[in-house]
Amino acid sequence: MSILVIGSVAFDTISTPFGAADDVLGGSACYFSTSASFFTDVNLVAVVGDDFPQQHIDFLSSRGIGLEGLQRAEGQTFRWKGRYEYDLNEAHTLDTQLNVFEQFKPVLPESYRQAEYVFLANIDPELQLEVLEQVKNPKLVACDTMNFWISGKRDALIRTLARVDTLVINEAEVRQLANEPNLVKAASIVRGFGPKTLVVKRGEYGVLMFGAHSIFSAPAYPLEEVFDPTGAGDTFAGGFVGYLASTRNLEESNLRKAIVFGTVMASFTVERFSLDRLRNLEYQEIEDRYRRIKLLTDFGQLD
Ligand code: AMP
């Protein structure tokens, strides 16, 4: 089952304690769709400028990602500049240039309007809503956002969240959105905005999922070397929604498996800059890490 994603396609300039990269391929929709493409078909809706090179288009096509909804406009592609200190869980945004996204009007190709699985990746919540309004009868609408939009476009974001089933955001952003420091209380406030399921990304501490009946915790995959955390969250979401769409099962037990597939996908992205680690990833490596996480958290039954 194919997924529809709207989000950013970007040039990222990043510095971490271990190196730096200038104007590399990034953006929430790129990380998401590349990750999800290991599980199912993905159609991408976004805009790039006339500076966007063919080699990046070729890469996305090589992953089988549908690009009929990728517009090319006059002007510059979205740009994000970020820095990480030794605490790699926190990205410091140095600059955000919306560029061609400022004038972007998403118009979905007719075939995309039947999408059953929709992911509103991190982008202006007004654009997220415009896309949602064109989709006929989705089974699952999942969404991501960040501090930039929570503080800059809060009202639009609250309107979007009213129509979202599953929200996938960072721990600090849950607290900011709820205006509540206690995470458990904050989770129930945010679930009150609309999403029945809240997935909280906690960087190297893993993920917490707050559902209607239970809370689920998954650790991050233990890595000795984390090189660049950019895109970890979007790659996580790609594995999560990708697995759900490929299995067509939204029961809670399957959501838990999807969380672990998301965790595994993110563990690969952070090993290199940009999407580089995903370029030569094999599906077998994904399953191997899935099994290792299972062992990591298996402490047996009570006698
Ligand atoms: P994350 O998975 O949270 O590390 O997302 C990193 C990606 O988000 C980068 O590749 C950026 O290009 C993109 N990004 C950063 N700021 C924004 C924003 N305000 N809107 C949309 N995308 C963004």
Side-chain angles (χ1 to χ4, degrees), residues 185-202:
K185 281 190 195 157
S188 68
I189 293 170
V190 169
R191 289 181 61 240
F193 294 151
K196 295 185 293 290
T197 307
L198 173 68
V199 177
V200 183
K201 299 173 284 182
R202 306 175 65 229

Side-chain angles (χ1 to χ4, degrees), residues 1-237:
M1 184 44 58
S2 66
I3 303 170
L4 174 67
V5 56
I6 173 168
S8 55
V9 172
F11 287 128
D12 288 343
T13 294
I14 300 153
S15 75
T16 80
F18 317 108
D22 278 355
D23 279 346
V24 290
L25 178 62
S28 55
C30 279
Y31 282 107
F32 176 89
S33 53
T34 304
S35 173
S37 70
F38 284 87
F39 300 90
T40 191
D41 296 336
V42 195
N43 291 318
L44 186 155
V45 174
V47 62
V48 293
D50 42 28
D51 54 354
F52 197 72
Q54 186 61 34
Q55 76 191 78
H56 294 335
I57 305 268
D58 293 344
F59 166 66
L60 296 170
S61 302
S62 76
R63 293 291 328 153
I65 297 164
L67 299 177
E68 208 189 321
L70 180 66
Q71 293 178 26
R72 190 183 277 271
E74 251 176 56
Q76 293 218 309
T77 298
F78 177 98
R79 276 173 166 73
W80 179 73
K81 200 183 253 189
R83 191 187 73 229
Y84 300 85
E85 310 289 349
Y86 276 100
D87 178 1
L88 294 173
N89 292 319
E90 200 187 346
H92 302 274
T93 293
L94 304 176
D95 192 23
T96 304
Q97 293 175 21
L98 296 176
N99 296 336
V100 287
F101 268 102
E102 283 192 84
Q103 307 296 330
F104 178 50
K105 285 272 156 246
V107 180
L108 299 197
E110 197 49 44
S111 60
Y112 289 14
R113 293 172 196 242
Q114 316 293 337
E116 292 187 0
Y117 294 82
V118 179
F119 187 66
L120 309 172
N122 181 25
I123 196 65
D124 186 334
E126 289 182 24
L127 294 177
Q128 293 178 322
L129 202 54
E130 277 179 45
V131 162
L132 213 44
E133 271 161 6
Q134 297 173 56
V135 180
K136 297 220 166 86
N137 194 14
K139 270 201 174 69
L140 175 77
V141 177
C143 175
D144 188 4
T145 192
M146 72 183 290
N147 48 13
F148 186 85
W149 305 113
I150 297 172
S151 52
K153 291 242 177 149
R154 189 182 172 86
D155 292 349
L157 179 60
I158 298 289
R159 281 199 303 280
T160 302
L161 290 182
R163 301 179 53 179
V164 163
D165 302 306
T166 302
L167 178 64
V168 183
I169 53 173
N170 290 341
E171 180 173 357
E173 288 153 2
V174 177
R175 294 195 167 99
Q176 184 190 359
L177 184 56
N179 214 353
E180 162 61 53
N182 177 285
L183 188 62
V184 181
K185 281 190 195 157
S188 68
I189 293 170
V190 169
R191 289 181 61 240
F193 294 151
K196 295 185 293 290
T197 307
L198 173 68
V199 177
V200 183
K201 299 173 284 182
R202 306 175 65 229
E204 67 186 301
Y205 306 110
V207 170
L208 276 176
M209 175 168 65
F210 293 85
H213 306 295
S214 71
I215 303 176
F216 172 64
S217 169
Y221 185 83
L223 285 172
E224 258 184 39
E225 284 188 34
V226 177
F227 190 69
D228 170 23
T230 308
D234 309 304
T235 311
F236 167 85

Side-chain angles (χ1 to χ4, degrees), residues 1-3 39-40 116-117 139 239-251 253-258 261 283:
M1 184 44 58
S2 66
I3 303 170
F39 300 90
T40 191
E116 292 187 0
Y117 294 82
K139 270 201 174 69
F240 175 68
V241 181
Y243 181 74
L244 291 176
S246 72
T247 50
R248 305 185 59 130
N249 174 352
L250 297 174
E251 284 168 24
S253 56
N254 207 48
L255 290 180
R256 291 178 176 219
K257 287 186 186 164
F261 274 106
Y283 190 77

